[in-house]
Amino acid sequence: MTKSDSLLSEALVKQGTLSRQSLEGLFKEAQDSSQSLASVLISRKVIPEQEILNILTRELKLSSVDIKALSIDKSLIGKVPLRIASYYKFLPLELNGRALSIAAAEPLEVKTQDEIRTQLGYDIEVVLALSSGIQEGLKKYYGLAAETLERISPPGAKAEGSTTAPGNEIVEDIEKLAGEATVINLVNQIILEGYKKRATDIHLEPYRQGITLRYRVDGLLYDAELAAEMKSYLNAIISRIKIMSNLNIVERRIPQDGKAVVKVAEQMLDLRISTIPTPFGESLVIRILPTQMLFSLEKLGLGKKDLQIFEALIQKPHGIIFVTGPTGSGKTTTLYTCLSRINTRERKIISIEDPIEYEIPGVTQIQAAPQVGLDFARGLRSILRHDPDVIMVGEVRDLETAEIAIRVALTGHLVFSTLHTNDAASGITRLIDIGVEPYLVSSSVEAFIAQRLLRLICNACKYEDKQAPGELKEMIARDIGLNSTEIKIFRGKGCVSCNFTGFFGRAAIYEILLLDEEIRALILKKMPSGQIKRIAISKGGMRTLRQDGWQKVILSLTTPEEVMKATPAEESLRLRQEEEVSLISHAPEPSLKQQALEEKRNYRRLDKQAIMHYKVFRSQEELLKQGYRLEQLNVTKNISAGGLLFTSAEAVAIGSILELKIELPEGGEPIECLARAVRIEEREQNKNYDIAVCFLDVTGAQRARMNKYTETKDG
């Protein structure tokens, strides 16, 4: 029995944690397995390692350190060979003259310290640390799987299974290299490390200087430290992974895709493997997916109102629900969650996907295989013969798939699918662009749901940032209609739990465009997506991606930077008063102040008449429920590329959204856009009204055309 074991046992008995009788059995097990008492207690999960560390530091009067919170000089790592550090299970911390400070999980015996001193030539000072921290430190500073690599290739040895050809080229016996147990262990360590880091993807990339290994965690890639010898085993690693996924290990000239299933800590993982050729070897990506997942609408990040909308949508008897967003925005997870919510024995649910991301018991899932002719369109035709109630189509990519999906929805089926667009309203434009008739879109689609993923602040190190700029709080308050004093911004300091990133996990933000009668009418008229979005917002029924993101900032779930990075900047519906004046204010005899404003105009104003029609969509006092309230034919008093001034027989409330149709005297297609009334003046002479409006969604081409017209006529 060592001194540390004796002190540990006495302390455990003294504090009443264990009895002497139970310790006798543990001592015997430690002697039979040539382990320390501390190792047995930890492996049997009798006492937490941290508690044992506290006892040893107190009884032996040693200090302890948190390895994960330290930064060790790389030059020191080079002075201590990995084979010595891994054999004696310690990590070098600091070198002061001839004294080397090392961290070990247990106190080292004098004999062991003498052996280390003899091999390294330094005096040894031991501090205690958690064994998990020492293992992580060895990976971090010596490189992932460095110990395994050292066992594969002892100093001076070449990679086994390789020979030198007459032209000095390395010829590798791929099957022999891939079959070595050490290479298998190397691959297993790479995958296991990814699982422990919560990685969704593992990237192995070759370059001229070497290879890189990166893990994607919470949407961002992080480099893993690698030993220099790893490059020599790139082909062996890739060959081993190809064997796991039933790919051709000889073929390196073309991309290949495969999959494999592995087991990690009672968790079955589905691995999706993809390789592509590069000038310096094959680049490989492994996507890590659990074979079984628990899907819940409440855990998607939906607010209370959005959750109610989702619940209503997925219970509809027929129609199409499109989820939109770029690759990696969580669309598939949202669709799977919806299917899981309505998955009952009374419903027949069939999906066709490429690839099948997760397995859902009770759902018939079809893997699309375009190489043999099973694409989404053909699969959809066959699905209809199986009498489904609900259908999920992985993605609408072409006209044929879109038209079949729409007709399926029109014949009484509920259809879920995805589109690649930047926001919800752009889904309408996307369908029309690929050739779908507007009347089919308006009559079949129930909603477009755009989404993005945001990283969540780590709860373990969350704090309120009281130094956040006031302008940032004002921007958030302005976008969601709050007072800036109500806004609190939180961040993560970075800790061991979140790998010092300040973030842990992700959640989605949503933009839900419900197709009511007014939106359907706009689709039939082929209105631009920007105009449809503005009307949906002005009616108060839609919250944009950025606004939903700001709500999560207020709830201290994420940071403003995450929201701004994931969502596009949106034009405010409320223009500042001085901007409105500089765009469209007009007086017959401008004052000096007005002349100064004139010089600051973004666009030249022209006192010229042009025929225009307008319709009122909304006023500040009420929402219009029965289409348009006014329709007028008017002549402008002046016009610019930013707004115009016209006279009307009826008053329009400030803030009303108008649909304009402007016929310029030069001819050409009329300019159609939305505008907002920003000023109204009653003319006493004839009881008419001068109405000034700002354009809201003029396209770049239309604005350039009006600008050219005003400059030409003014000149």
Side-chain angles (χ1 to χ4, degrees), residues 15-56:
Q15 66 187 24
T17 305
L18 292 173
S19 65
R20 291 193 183 277
Q21 186 177 359
S22 58
L23 277 170
E24 288 178 3
L26 294 169
F27 268 124
K28 187 176 185 306
E29 183 180 340
Q31 288 177 342
D32 293 342
S33 59
S34 299
Q35 298 183 76
S36 65
L37 176 61
S39 299
V40 173
L41 290 171
I42 294 168
S43 62
R44 293 280 300 274
K45 297 183 179 179
V46 178
I47 300 174
E49 185 181 5
Q50 183 64 57
E51 185 177 340
I52 293 175
L53 182 68
N54 294 338
I55 293 173
L56 291 174

Side-chain angles (χ1 to χ4, degrees), residues 155-327:
K158 290 189 299 184
E160 187 179 348
S162 64
T163 58
T164 304
N168 293 326
E169 296 175 345
I170 299 298
V171 179
E172 297 174 338
D173 187 339
I174 294 175
E175 291 187 0
K176 186 174 182 180
L177 276 174
E180 287 292 322
T182 46
V183 175
I184 293 174
N185 291 339
L186 187 58
V187 172
N188 291 345
Q189 288 182 51
I190 292 173
I191 297 172
L192 182 60
E193 185 72 9
Y195 172 76
K196 289 180 178 179
K197 288 180 177 289
R198 302 181 295 109
T200 55
D201 300 272
I202 302 172
H203 295 249
L204 191 61
E205 304 156 329
Y207 298 99
R208 185 184 298 277
Q209 298 81 4
I211 65 172
T212 61
L213 177 65
R214 298 192 286 174
Y215 294 104
R216 187 178 294 279
V217 182
D218 294 335
L220 295 183
L221 286 169
Y222 297 94
D223 283 300
E225 291 290 336
L226 293 179
E229 296 84 356
M230 185 74 84
K231 183 178 182 181
S232 303
Y233 292 89
L234 174 64
N235 290 332
I237 293 169
I238 291 178
S239 297
R240 165 60 187 162
I241 296 172
K242 283 183 176 181
I243 290 172
M244 292 170 58
S245 52
N246 294 317
L247 298 179
N248 187 344
I249 64 173
V250 177
E251 181 58 72
R252 300 180 182 177
R253 300 167 298 174
I254 60 175
Q256 296 189 67
D257 296 296
K259 62 180 181 178
V261 178
V262 297
K263 183 178 180 182
V264 176
E266 305 303 322
Q267 170 77 49
M268 301 297 291
L269 300 180
D270 200 349
L271 306 182
R272 303 297 168 82
I273 289 93
S274 179
T275 68
I276 55 174
T278 75
F280 308 105
E282 287 181 283
S283 180
L284 180 139
V285 173
I286 303 174
R287 170 155 289 188
I288 304 175
L289 299 168
T291 55
Q292 297 288 337
M293 277 192 68
L294 295 175
F295 296 99
S296 169
L297 282 176
E298 290 78 9
K299 294 182 179 179
L300 287 179
L302 291 164
K304 185 177 180 180
K305 181 181 177 182
D306 290 344
L307 182 59
Q308 293 173 348
I309 294 174
F310 260 75
E311 293 280 12
L313 284 173
I314 63 179
Q315 296 300 334
K316 287 184 176 292
H318 54 76
I320 302 182
I321 299 170
F322 280 108
V323 180
T324 75
T327 301

Side-chain angles (χ1 to χ4, degrees), residues 146-158:
E147 185 179 351
T148 302
L149 284 169
E150 191 151 302
R151 290 203 307 268
I152 297 175
S153 54
K158 290 189 299 184

